[in-house]
Amino acid sequence: MTARHPASAGGDGAPEILDLPIGLHAAGSRRETDSMGAIDVPADRYWGTQTQRSLIHFSIGDDRMPKAVYHAYGHVKKAAAIVNGRARRLPTWKAGLIQRVADEVIAGGLDDHFPLYVWQTGSGTQSNMNTNEVISNRAIQLVGGELGSKSPVHPSRLRQGLGHRAQGRRRGHHPARGRVSLRRRHRGGLRPHRRPGDHGRPGGGAWVTGRPQPLGSPDPERLT
């Protein structure tokens, strides 16, 4: 019998949170939709429409986005959930649910659901949305909902900072993600300060988005 943990939301319509291990034991595909239309995604994966389209249209080479990037995104999403929960912009139960799934991302438990290539458009939008879709569907699973329904956690709301009014300043997710991943990779953890030469920035440009790049380096061959 599946264990249930009542969410401590104080009567704000909180669902019961299920104690379910990571994983989807389903075969075939499921249909998900967004503003661009419908697309079939593997039924045993948490990602959604934008991730699937990126896999189709940017299947170039063999270089995949490093998993450290997604672990860093987990920190960013968790921090946004904490702040917006404390500010009462998110119900307590929803902030806690997002934090729980973000911890799974940080720990690497969802690594199999981050398949994207390094070739992307924009400012790492596909990797950001890959993270959001995985968090959304994993959260939906934990409340016993229907994957792809975008309720109670909508992936685009995560992209916009967990709320209807860009509460997390979504454009700031990408440089924050780059700094966190570099700190964790080169220093074995987060540091409270920076030193000259030991920090980086996300690579710019549509063709190499999201790869950390040394400060002052215009050459994509010098990616680190």
Side-chain angles (χ1 to χ4, degrees), residues 9-173:
D12 59 355
E16 289 183 313
I17 309 300
L18 306 175
D19 188 12
L20 296 173
I22 293 171
L24 297 169
H25 304 291
S29 62
R30 68 175 180 273
R31 177 64 58 94
E32 292 209 15
T33 61
D34 61 12
S35 60
M36 294 183 67
I39 192 169
D40 291 330
V41 302
D44 62 348
R45 292 292 179 259
Y46 288 112
W47 68 69
T49 56
Q50 293 202 32
T51 303
Q52 191 64 33
R53 289 195 187 96
S54 183
L55 284 172
I56 294 170
H57 299 298
F58 290 89
S59 179
I60 304 170
D62 298 316
D63 295 322
R64 307 278 179 163
M65 190 64 72
K67 294 300 187 286
V69 167
Y70 298 99
H71 303 164
Y73 265 132
H75 283 286
V76 175
K77 308 302 179 180
K78 180 178 181 179
I82 291 171
V83 169
N84 284 293
R86 289 175 180 173
R88 301 186 183 278
R89 298 190 185 102
L90 277 179
T92 302
W93 68 265
K94 186 178 290 190
L97 178 60
I98 293 169
Q99 290 173 55
R100 173 176 170 174
V101 180
D103 279 335
E104 294 177 340
V105 172
I106 294 166
L110 290 159
D111 280 359
D112 289 345
H113 302 269
F114 300 123
L116 294 184
Y117 297 91
V118 297
W119 307 92
Q120 299 181 20
T121 62
S123 303
T125 299
Q126 279 87 10
S127 285
N128 189 17
M129 283 304 298
N130 186 182
T131 309
N132 295 341
E133 290 171 348
V134 168
I135 291 176
S136 171
N137 275 328
R138 172 61 174 156
I140 290 169
Q141 180 189 35
L142 289 174
V143 298
E146 179 183 355
L147 268 66
S149 66
K150 303 178 177 62
S151 177
V153 177
H154 196 299
S156 290
R157 297 289 179 257
L158 287 166
R159 180 176 64 88
Q160 295 170 352
L162 307 174
H164 294 275
R165 298 183 183 276
Q167 292 163 358
R169 304 296 297 176
R170 66 183 179 89
R171 295 280 310 173
H173 288 195

